[in-house]
Amino acid sequence: MRVVRISLPLLFLLLLLSCGGESSMALPGFAGETTPAIQLNQVGYYPDQAIQFTVAATGTSALDRPDSSYQITNLAGDSLVREGYLGQRQDWTALAGVLAQPTLADPLPVGEYRIYVPGVGYSEAVHVMEDALQAPFIGSLRGLYYQRASQALPEQYAGEYARAAGHPDTEVLYHPSSGHSGGSISSPGGWYDAGDYNKYIVNGAFPMGQYLALYEDVGDPAPDGSLNLPESGNGQSDYLDEMKYELDWMLTMQDEDGGLFHKLTTLRFEGMVMPNVATSQRYIVGKSTTATLDFAAATAQASRVYRPLDAAYADRLLAAARRAYTWGTANPNAVFRNPDDVSTGEYGDDNADDERTWAAAELFATTGEQEYYNELQARPPRMRFNAGESWTGYMGNLAAYTLLRFPDRVPQEMHQELRQLVITLADSLVMDVDQNPYRQPITDFEWGSNSDVLNAAMLLAAAHRQEPKEDYVAAIRSSVDYVLGNNPNNVCYLTGYGDRAPMNIHHRPSIADGIAAPVPGLLSGGPNSKQQDKQYTTYEAGAAPMQSWADQEPSFASNEICLNWNAPFTYVTGYLEHVATAK
Ligand code: 9MR
């Protein structure tokens, strides 16, 4: 009898080869076509992150078999990395006619993979990276640079999106609603709000609060030289340089009495042309309680942030904040409504309580003065999460985040109460995420729904800063997975990132510049069940709320971009990058 002696290492190698051989035979190999039925984060997962993805298919499919499996393969699709079962099929009633089969795998090591489901096909690449979200984080900040008004964007900083300056805004006429009759002011700079070219104080100040929150929570997330701005190389944070571009404009919108003009705008929206061609007369319109108090909050916070770098600027910001607060509290009912001859964005809100609390919170955190604390006791932050309220509800949360950030300055009782509240809210958001087939926290899809998902994630981050639970990080990450591609529209909602980003955003420069790809780093608003633009947009028949999105230029209600949508995206990706680096 012949005995073949095989050494242990050799035996191991043979076993490995035979396993590999069998699996490769079972895999057809990736032929270049990916399936839209496998939906995943198209940008990047962290190596310690459970890979959330969805297999969605209609009618009879591989999903109908309870033993359906998936394979994680290499990029070429011919070598097996891992295998698993899809598990129980889940009918998702909110998504008519579509079966969503969420599943997850254990974390994967740094590398590039595909998911293969027999009978369904191969997915887009799965990227697993240590700095999974750094690129879209930086991209979303550069998105602000592209939104700069009154300034040319040279090729050196803007690449193929270089463009001429638009809207000098050096002679903006007072509209009668401003309280001034005749005359003009100079109010240059700042960022365009969205796909339109107007500048609104409410939606300048409130995103500013979100941006500054990130700076306060994680330290400078974009130091000098990281954003390739005209200011890069000046020895100061690129992050704060970009913020200053907006703050400087905001300061010009304060009237002599301390109140803030509500907006700087044309009477009607401009056509789909480049900024330098959009030359209709611009006006200073309205003066409102909400604009004034939001401004007071953002500038009080900014004075804290800029103080170590530029004390004179900090003084100027704080003085402006105080004057605005005084006006806002003395004029609590200056509700803004578009005058009859103005039809641009309204940013109306009948209730200025959140704004008042936010202003008091920032002024108190900055100065420690009793007056502001008294106000907080009279009107404690109404911290809450209600997607249906959308942006109008988030100023109250910003107030709470700031008070939570400074335990030494805030009386213990108030701090404890807020701490308990943020944890309770975050725990219920974690449950919402777990129960949702796409593992994101909302069921009500309104105008800018992606920002609701991201504001929920901001709340989870605030809770995580109080109590560093892994569950919170997991829920924030899977919310970001949703925004970056794990969604029924199979789209990465940030332009210029992922494999399938929006190509036809409602954004005037992107439409008019003659370049096929839109300006990068801008977040599409996302599904909006109300479809206020359906007259101009073709939505899929019977689209469920989470599917009510159209990559079409006229879709201002689902596919526009906006400052207060980019801001929480930046916060959340910046926060996750910080968490990953700190681990
Ligand atoms: O985000 C705003 C949304 O909540 C409103 O329903 C909508 C209609 O008033 O306006 C949205 O904001 C837009 C603003 O009015 C003008 N610039 C573009 C903004 C995003 O679409």
Side-chain angles (χ1 to χ4, degrees), residues 193-194 196 200 269 345-347 390-391 447 556 560-562 565:
D193 183 57
D196 62 316
Y200 307 86
F269 287 118
E346 186 166 75
Y347 288 113
S390 194
W391 60 269
W447 198 310
F556 54 83
E560 188 164 358
I561 62 99
C562 202
W565 307 340

Side-chain angles (χ1 to χ4, degrees), residues 112 141-142 157 171 195-197 241 245 268 302 364 385 391 415 463 469 473 504 509 546 567 576 578 583:
E112 302 208 298
L141 282 167
R142 293 216 6 104
Y157 310 113
E171 276 193 66
D196 62 316
Y197 291 134
D241 284 337
Y245 196 77
R268 284 171 293 281
F364 177 66
F385 183 77
W391 60 269
H415 197 270
K469 284 200 233 165
V473 175
N504 306 301
M546 210 193 289
L576 287 178
H578 169 74
K583 268 189 178 178

